[in-house]
């Protein structure tokens, strides 16, 4: 894939900054990167937007590292029904998210492909079903999600560190407290029947105490390297 020559730039190429004639020239040589997030509780110390902010930051890093990538605006809603016991959580559900992803990627047919970077684990199942359907239709789509420890899967040290690196003013470290540190696999039966509120009264799965911005930067670097490797492998595969 050979990107269209473009003037030098100091940051990623953003769809929000293009006109349609510019997009028309770039799209056949470009991959659209779409951050998929959520608006859901993240314990007493983190904002509702953690998953969206992480996904957006990783897409931005991808677009900076690979000039063939155009960064799309983030989707800030996902499948977050398991967090319904905590006020403020907004969810569109699995079926709606799956259909949304399918239609979104179909609408991006002018691009050479679409990379969907997902910051919320609850989106994974409908996202992968959507990508499987799109591939059957002959469309180029890649889904990628960052990984984390099974005993620190929500609003714990991992996500707290990541947000301290991205937007430290949004982290209430004075309110950070441990939640349920049982491995996610052991919690899944109770989670499926009673949601997150059934296994953690404060909405945390993990222990955010001791999280640092330095650790967050290391995590973001590791996730970025893994995303770049997945992107490069995908673009090299017919």
């Amino acid at each position: 894939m050979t990107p269209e020559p473009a003037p030098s730039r100091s940051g990623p190429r953003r769809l929000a900054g293009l006109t349609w004639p510019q997009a028309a020239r770039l799209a056949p040589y470009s991959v659209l990167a779409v951050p998929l997030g959520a608006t859901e509780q993240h314990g007493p110390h983190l904002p509702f937007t953690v998953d969206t902010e992480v996904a957006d930051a990783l897409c931005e890093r991808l677009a900076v590292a690979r000039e063939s990538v155009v960064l799309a605006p983030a989707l800030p809603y996902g499948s977050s029904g398991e967090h319904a016991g905590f006020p403020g959580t907004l969810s569109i559900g699995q079926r709606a998210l799956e259909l949304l992803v399918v239609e979104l990627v179909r609408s991006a047919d002018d691009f050479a492909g679409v990379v969907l970077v997902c910051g919320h684990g609850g989106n994974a199942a409908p996202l992968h079903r959507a990508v499987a359907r799109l591939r059957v239709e002959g469309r180029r789509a890649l889904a990628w999600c960052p990984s984390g420890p099974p005993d620190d899967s929500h609003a714990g040290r991992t996500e707290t560190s990541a947000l301290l690196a991205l937007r430290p003013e949004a982290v209430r470290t004075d309110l950070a407290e441990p939640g349920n540190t049982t491995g996610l696999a052991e919690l899944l039966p109770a989670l499926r029947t009673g949601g997150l509120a059934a296994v953690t009264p404060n909405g945390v799965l993990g222990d955010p105490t001791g999280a640092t911005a330095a650790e967050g930067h290391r995590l973001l670097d590791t996730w970025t390297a893994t995303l770049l490797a997945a992107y490069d492998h995908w673009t090299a595969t017919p």
Side-chain angles (χ1 to χ4, degrees):
M1 182 184 301
T2 304
E4 180 188 84
S8 60
R9 54 197 174 94
S10 58
R13 187 180 287 113
R14 298 177 184 273
L15 188 61
L18 301 177
T19 63
W20 78 259
Q22 290 174 310
R25 291 192 295 271
L26 290 170
Y29 309 99
S30 302
V31 169
L32 188 68
V34 182
L36 300 181
T39 299
E40 63 181 34
Q41 72 82 24
H42 274 76
H45 65 294
L46 292 176
F48 287 88
T49 54
V50 172
D51 297 339
T52 307
E53 293 187 51
V54 169
D56 192 55
L58 292 171
C59 279
E60 180 174 338
R61 285 168 167 237
L62 174 64
V64 168
R66 299 292 182 266
E67 290 194 359
S68 56
V69 172
V70 173
L71 177 58
L75 177 67
Y77 304 108
S79 177
S80 301
E82 67 274 17
H83 297 271
F86 298 90
T89 293
L90 303 176
S91 174
I92 61 173
Q94 289 203 15
R95 292 179 62 187
L97 179 64
E98 181 179 347
L99 179 60
L100 188 156
V101 170
V102 168
E103 294 295 348
L104 183 66
V105 175
R106 284 173 176 169
S107 74
D109 274 349
D110 288 328
F111 289 88
V114 178
V115 176
L116 301 144
V117 176
C118 177
H120 171 47
N123 291 345
L127 172 59
H128 286 288
R129 289 196 299 269
V131 168
R133 181 175 175 181
L134 290 161
R135 287 176 175 172
V136 168
E137 295 175 355
R139 291 179 165 87
R140 293 273 291 166
L142 171 69
W144 183 90
C145 305
S147 61
D151 60 348
D152 187 61
S153 58
H154 187 75
R157 186 181 182 111
T158 300
E159 289 190 313
T160 303
S161 294
L163 205 63
L164 281 170
L166 292 173
R167 195 160 64 97
E169 69 277 9
V171 182
R172 292 291 305 273
T173 53
D174 57 314
L175 298 178
E177 60 184 22
N180 193 331
T181 57
T182 305
L184 185 59
E186 297 176 60
L187 295 175
L188 279 177
L191 268 172
R192 290 191 176 112
T193 57
L196 215 71
V199 298
T200 171
N202 67 355
V204 177
L205 296 179
D207 184 356
T209 60
T212 66
E215 184 174 348
H217 286 296
R218 289 193 295 271
L219 278 166
L220 290 167
D221 288 345
T222 298
W223 288 335
T224 301
T226 307
L227 172 58
L228 286 170
Y231 175 83
D232 290 343
H233 176 76
W234 176 69
T235 54
T237 305

